[in-house]
Structures are given as C-alpha cells and as structure tokens.
Amino acid sequence: MVTGDGSYIKKINRSLILQTIIGHGIISRADLSKVVGLNKATISVQVSDLLDEELIIETQQEHSGVGRKPIMLSLNRDCGYALGIDLDYKHITFTLSDLLGHPVLAETLPLTTSDYDTIVSLLTDRIKKYEQKCSDSRYGMIGVVIGIHGTVGKDEKVYFVPQHQWRDKDLKADLAKEIEASIHIENNANLSAFAEKVFNYHDSDNLLCVTMYSGMGLGIIMNGDLLKGYDGFAGEMGHMVIFPHGKPCPCGNRGCWELYASESKLLAQLAELKNKPDITYKDVRNWIADEDPAVCGHLDQFFEYLAIGLNNIINLYNPESLILNSDILKMQPNAIDKIRGHLHSKMSHYRELSISVLGKDACVMGACAMALKNFLEVPELRLELPSQQLPLTVSNGSGTTAAL
C-alpha cells in the first residue's frame, strides 16, 4: 500500500492536473475536475498555484450561447524551453522547443573530428548560446537532453561509441562544469522510441523503434516505460550477430546486423556500385524511381537482411507497435509489404509494423520531450505533432543560430 503525507498527495494531484491540461490542450476547471476525479475546491487551489507559477494561462473560449464565456486553462508554452541534441557521427543536431514540444529553433553542425575534448568544447559553447536565447522567458532553458549513438548506462555515463571510439566518458559531468541547466544523457534509439510514444503512439504501451541511419539501435518501451536492462545497455540490436564469421565490426564482433541493414552501409555499397562517393538520398530516390536493376538488387538484399533482425526482435519482445525509422524505406514503394514478405515464422507476433513519420528528427524530438517530462514532473506526456517541422540551419560552427 502506497502512503504519503499531505505534501506528497498534493504533488501527485498537481502532476495529474498538469498532465490532463497538456493532454487536452485546453480545458475548463469543471471538465478538469471530472477528468481527474478531484473536487472543485482542490482543483481551484492547484490551478491558482499553477497560474501564480505562470505554468498555465487562462483564456476565454468563444461561444454563441447565452451566459458567461467559459474560462479555459492551457499550458503556458512560452514560459520555458527545452534543448534536444542528437550527437551523431558526422553531425550534431540541436533543436530548441517550447513546452509543448514544438521546435522554435533548429541547427545542425557538421563534425569533422571524433576528438572528445573538441566536441565537449563545441557542445558547451552552443548550449551557452541557447541558454542566452532563452533568458528572457520565466524559466529559461528548462533542461538539456543529449542523444548518444552508443551505450549509455543508467548512471548516464557514455561507455562506448563505436563510430567515435569513445570509451568510459562522463559527458554529463564534463558539461556540468560549465553549464548551469539540467543535463541528461540518453541513448538515441531510446529517445526515438520515446518520441514515437509521446507524439504518435499515445496508447501503445509495448512499442519498439528501430533506428537505421548511421548505425542501428532499438528503443524499447514495455508496459509504458523505457526498458534499459540491468546496466542500461538494452537495445543494442545493431550488434546482434546475424552472420557468424561475417564482416568485422568496430564493436569487436563480426557479422553484426547494422553492417548489413543500416542506411549508412547501404549507401556505402551503392556509392561503390555507382563509383560515386558523394551519393545522396536524392540519387537513391532517382534510382528507385528509374527501377535501376543493380540498385534494386541491392535493395532486395537489404530488405532480406533487415527482416532477419526484425524476426529476432519480434520473437524476443512480441511488440504491439514496431516502428522503423528510415528515409530509404520511405522512398521504396510497398516497403512494409516487402519486409512482411520475409517474415515467414509462425512464431512471430506483432500488432503493427510501420515506418516512422518523424524521420531523423525523432532523436531530438524525444530529447526535448524527455526534458519537458522531467521539468513538468508528469507521469505521462502526450503531445501533438508540430504542424510543420522547422528546416535546419546548416552551420559550419562559426556562425550563430538564426530564428526560423
């Protein structure tokens, strides 16, 4: 039996009230009382506190009926901002969002080095600039969450990043020496899965998200919570061996799944095939549209290798929703049908197989959402997808971020 004093109960009620306001977007006190199941007096006290803190605002709803216009409550989305960062192999993406997870600034910086100290310095400089941009709001920058393409422990230390060859780095502590805002470090696939849950699959409590860009990762949500494993390393399915004695992997094994089914490896194969080192997604799209036989042959093999890993994942976790985050899959007509064509096992059970609409924004969107959840202290966060994603400002690292 869970027990607690008055302040503890008040905190729980506050969380539920705030969560309900966010989930509904706009709601009256009377409806809030009905949904949460608290009496009007309790609602009134809590709402008064939230108004004083400027976390919520009041507006009058337009209506054509007789009588007073109802006073509606909604989140004060501009009273603070969250910074999400996707620290990938060849670039770093920054997205600053309001308290509803809608991006207000976005920027990507190319990375030409794997030197840890250089990247820490770059991150520190950029985060400070974003802090300054948020300084006029009531709460300023409410938190920073950084997505890492590697193993991140429950202690938020970075234990291994294969593509940068980083080992045992305490990025959070190193940044905290210069940054005042709250900082959290998380695996990028976990953040992508969290974004899918928060923005798209609100009612799916058993969700898997496979990220397929520079490598392959698996974000796992089971019973509504991120599944991280004993140390926090669960989900490194890109390093699941599908070919014994196969290609050597930077992780130390051979025949890892991401060597055969990640976008980066497919693009490298196509670049070699076409003798075109600067291959782009537009090139791939055109080759698919032209039904280039050599490219289609590589893609058929890509789908087969992808399905091998997915079959293993499905048998391990029996997911409700299995989401594949890949730009190349979006280009391929009937991609889902092609994948299903390789899933023959009668043991495999899942409810839904789909391609993510979030794309490469998933990690930073999940990072922003996690910072918001931590700041608002709500048990569950349900946000609406932004009606329009911001185009990224591509910078060489010497300029400043412009409002978009």
Side-chain angles (χ1 to χ4, degrees), residues 11 39 98 134 183-184 305 346 350 354 364 368 375 394 403:
K11 183 177 180 180
N39 62 52
D98 62 23
C134 301
I183 298 171
H184 292 283
Y305 293 155
K346 293 181 175 60
Y350 60 94
S354 60
V364 286
C368 288
F375 170 70
V394 180

Side-chain angles (χ1 to χ4, degrees), residues 25 70 96-97 99 119 194 198 206 217 241 249 251 257 276-277 310 324 351:
L96 191 72
S97 81
L99 293 194
I119 293 175
F194 188 66
V198 169
N206 294 277
V241 175
C249 181
C251 78
W257 189 32
K276 183 178 171 63
L310 293 180
L324 309 179
R351 183 72 57 83

Side-chain angles (χ1 to χ4, degrees), residues 193 196 201 204 206-212 217-222 237 257 306-307 309-325 329 336 339-340 343 348-356:
E196 297 291 349
Y201 297 84
S204 182
N206 294 277
L207 176 154
L208 304 179
C209 178
V210 181
T211 56
M212 300 174 55
L218 179 68
I220 308 165
I221 292 180
M222 289 286 127
M237 300 301 286
W257 189 32
L306 176 60
L310 293 180
N311 180 78
N312 294 340
I313 291 170
I314 291 167
N315 285 335
L316 278 170
Y317 294 106
N318 179 214
E320 178 183 1
S321 304
L322 177 55
I323 303 145
L324 309 179
N325 195 319
L329 292 185
I336 293 299
I339 295 168
R340 285 199 182 107
L343 298 175
S348 297
H349 294 280
Y350 60 94
R351 183 72 57 83
E352 178 182 10
L353 177 64
S354 60
I355 300 173
S356 172

Side-chain angles (χ1 to χ4, degrees), residues 277-294:
D278 56 345
I279 186 174
T280 66
Y281 281 106
K282 183 178 180 181
D283 292 326
V284 179
R285 187 180 293 107
N286 290 337
W287 291 329
I288 291 173
D290 294 340
E291 298 183 352
D292 183 295

